[in-house]
Amino acid sequence: MTRILIIAVLLFNCVTFSQTTKKENYTLRIIEGKVIKENKQIFWITPTTLTNNTKNTLRYYSMSCSWQDFYSVSSNKLQVVGKGCDKNIPTILTLAPGKSRTVKIRLLISKTIDTSEIKFKIGFNLMKVSSTQKELDFNSIEQQKKKNIIWSNIISK
């Protein structure tokens, strides 16, 4: 009887704790986009959309120039790249309930890959900002740890 009670408690806790994290709160969706050649390199331009599915306004960190650093790609044959700029500072973006924001991610394609045989997803490191935090509270070391990645759907060719 004691064993059954222990097993029942453990199962209840597993179900309860697994439901506390709702990954549906924020979703990341990508579409195939287009492949372009530029300066003897090949890039895959992939529209990537973050959606706030909550009833609260989302506040999160980005950078004025290197916002691409918050993104990752699951394939080692692709690399997220950005463009240089003169001034790069932390910024706070907001996303209203039920709204979306789309950016175009530039993925550098390895020269050794056939784009017709690739499968990947894009991840976004969502660093939420509380109502009391400011741009200067940004911690680049925490950003590099990429603890809060939301992964997109898979693109497969």
Side-chain angles (χ1 to χ4, degrees), residues 4-17:
I4 294 173
L5 182 60
I6 291 172
I7 291 171
V9 168
L10 289 174
L11 287 173
F12 175 77
N13 285 337
C14 288
V15 170
T16 302
F17 290 123

Side-chain angles (χ1 to χ4, degrees), residues 2-157:
T2 304
R3 287 184 192 175
I4 294 173
L5 182 60
I6 291 172
I7 291 171
V9 168
L10 289 174
L11 287 173
F12 175 77
N13 285 337
C14 288
V15 170
T16 302
F17 290 123
S18 69
Q19 292 175 354
T20 59
T21 304
K22 293 182 180 179
K23 69 179 188 177
E24 301 85 28
N25 284 347
Y26 311 105
T27 54
L28 197 65
R29 180 115 180 104
I30 60 176
I31 59 174
E32 192 172 303
K34 62 182 178 178
V35 175
I36 63 168
K37 289 184 181 181
E38 192 176 278
N39 299 326
K40 297 183 181 180
Q41 293 182 313
I42 301 173
F43 296 93
W44 199 329
I45 310 301
T46 308
T48 304
T49 303
L50 174 66
T51 302
N52 178 1
N53 299 317
T54 71
K55 294 180 180 180
N56 301 312
T57 296
L58 171 64
R59 291 175 38 120
Y60 61 99
Y61 281 117
S62 187
M63 297 296 285
S64 62
C65 184
S66 66
W67 54 267
Q68 299 90 350
D69 292 348
F70 287 83
Y71 291 86
S72 303
V73 64
S74 63
S75 171
N76 61 359
K77 298 187 186 265
L78 299 169
Q79 178 183 352
V80 177
V81 293
K83 293 188 175 187
C85 68
D86 295 332
K87 186 176 182 182
N88 191 31
I89 58 172
T91 185
I92 296 174
L93 300 177
T94 59
L95 193 55
K99 297 296 181 182
S100 300
R101 175 173 285 125
T102 301
V103 295
K104 291 184 179 178
I105 304 293
R106 290 172 55 90
L107 301 172
L108 177 62
I109 300 173
S110 169
K111 293 179 181 181
T112 62
I113 190 171
D114 178 2
T115 56
S116 66
E117 300 175 6
I118 193 154
K119 183 177 180 178
F120 70 94
K121 56 187 174 177
I122 291 178
F124 175 65
N125 184 28
L126 178 61
M127 291 183 64
K128 288 191 203 178
V129 179
S130 73
S131 60
T132 60
Q133 288 178 296
K134 300 194 180 334
E135 286 87 350
L136 296 176
D137 295 330
F138 177 73
N139 184 331
S140 62
I141 294 175
E142 282 300 310
Q143 190 265 334
Q144 292 169 5
K145 289 180 183 177
K146 298 192 178 203
K147 289 182 180 178
N148 302 306
I149 293 187
I150 299 170
W151 288 100
S152 72
N153 54 299
I154 295 174
I155 295 287
S156 173
K157 286 193 118 191

